[in-house]
Amino acid sequence: MLRFLAYRILSAIPVLFVMTIITFVIIHSTPGDYADYVASMLRSQGHASNEVAQAAAVQFRIDHGLNDPLIIQYFHWIWDILHGDFGTSYFFNRPISAVINQRLPPTLGLLPTVHVLGTIIGVTLGIISATRQYSWVDNLFSFIGFLGISTPKFLFALVLIYILAFKIGVQELGSFYSSYWSYQPMSFGKFWNLVLHVWPIILVGVMNGISYNMRMMRGNLLVPLNDQYVEPARAQGLTNTMALLKHTVPNHRHPMSAIQSQGS
């Protein structure tokens, strides 16, 4: 096991190295650089002369090493990353590490929530769909499953934002709390306000997990529901529901557990 883990970790190093090269080439393949953007902003918003804007761009390139050869810039970039310096976000005008530290805790809180909800709801709907094969319930859940798997999350998010913002008139879509609860201590009211703000994010994230788990559970149960080992359980007096929960579903926990490592 340790040998396998060591092999996987070591094999990931060249892949990461190639990915850093590809990322670096893509970043520098666009015409111009951020110094040109600084010069254009000085001219358009700062009303600076062309000479002043160009001088600022030249100084920006000197300060950030943009005049160095690309190979030197690449190794400076990798060296800074290995030392925890991800540079500065020009969009937020803040260090990237500060932006990550601000946004990582909410992300780590949402990920397990989305995964657990997607697994529980998807498995439950899969069991219901399998026990009602070809009924309107099965057809409805199958349609939802195919829709959830085939629809990109960003498209579903855009449609949801459009409905909430322009059709329903929901405010504060980009925040976790309303203005009143932002600076209040944690309480049930603040937690409920958080739920009212993050449910669209959870819904977008959980749709794919629900669809995938539902389709997998339905497919795993269709044949075993009529296997011979289920009939004696029913003959002993177990209802269809008890036979399903005690015999059929437990026998298919292993494949469902194996796919959970893929995420929702």
Side-chain angles (χ1 to χ4, degrees):
M1 185 64 180
L2 293 178
R3 182 179 179 181
F4 174 76
L5 291 176
Y7 172 77
R8 299 294 292 182
I9 293 174
L10 292 176
S11 62
I13 295 177
V15 176
L16 292 176
F17 176 71
V18 173
M19 290 303 299
T20 59
I21 296 177
I22 295 175
T23 303
F24 186 82
V25 171
I26 292 175
I27 292 173
H28 288 78
S29 62
T30 57
D33 52 22
Y34 194 78
D36 295 328
Y37 175 75
V38 171
S40 64
M41 292 298 292
L42 288 175
R43 284 192 294 263
S44 61
Q45 297 185 8
H47 304 288
S49 63
N50 187 57
E51 292 75 12
V52 173
Q54 289 299 326
V58 170
Q59 188 61 43
F60 184 89
R61 292 189 180 96
I62 294 174
D63 294 339
H64 293 80
L66 299 180
N67 293 327
D68 298 334
L70 288 180
I71 187 66
I72 301 299
Q73 294 185 43
Y74 171 77
F75 282 109
H76 283 168
W77 179 56
I78 293 297
W79 181 261
D80 291 339
I81 290 177
L82 293 177
H83 287 78
D85 182 7
F86 298 99
T88 302
S89 171
Y90 300 127
F91 182 83
F92 295 101
N93 197 24
R94 298 173 57 195
I96 294 178
S97 57
V99 178
I100 294 176
N101 291 334
Q102 179 186 7
R103 296 169 180 260
L104 186 60
T107 303
L108 294 179
L110 288 172
L111 283 176
T113 303
V114 168
H115 186 77
V116 170
L117 289 177
T119 301
I120 294 176
I121 298 175
V123 169
T124 303
L125 295 183
I127 294 174
I128 296 174
S129 181
T131 54
R132 291 164 175 80
Q133 187 179 13
Y134 303 134
S135 66
W136 69 269
V137 176
D138 183 30
N139 292 332
L140 176 62
F141 289 169
S142 297
F143 173 75
I144 295 175
F146 285 123
L147 187 65
I149 292 175
S150 60
T151 304
K153 290 184 179 181
F154 76 89
L155 179 60
F156 183 53
L158 289 176
V159 173
L160 188 60
I161 290 175
Y162 175 78
I163 295 175
L164 293 176
F166 296 100
K167 297 301 182 180
I168 303 179
V170 177
Q171 303 295 323
E172 300 174 336
L173 286 176
S175 59
F176 282 96
Y177 300 99
S178 61
S179 56
Y180 171 76
W181 289 104
S182 296
Y183 301 99
Q184 299 295 325
M186 180 54 69
S187 61
F188 178 78
K190 187 172 183 177
F191 174 76
W192 182 246
N193 186 258
L194 174 65
V195 172
L196 294 178
H197 280 77
V198 302
W199 73 263
I201 306 173
I202 295 177
L203 179 61
V204 171
V206 83
M207 278 299 296
N208 187 265
I210 290 177
S211 303
Y212 189 73
N213 284 289
M214 178 175 65
R215 299 301 302 169
M216 288 293 297
M217 196 66 189
R218 179 184 182 276
N220 288 334
L221 290 181
L222 284 180
V223 175
L225 282 174
N226 298 316
D227 281 349
Q228 294 181 356
Y229 72 88
V230 180
E231 296 301 329
R234 293 170 179 165
Q236 293 176 0
L238 291 180
T239 62
N240 290 334
T241 302
M242 293 301 298
L244 176 72
L245 296 179
K246 282 192 173 183
H247 296 280
T248 310
V249 172
N251 289 338
H252 293 83
R253 288 179 299 183
H254 298 293
M256 293 303 300
S257 300
I259 67 172
Q260 296 310 308
S261 60
Q262 302 177 11
S264 296

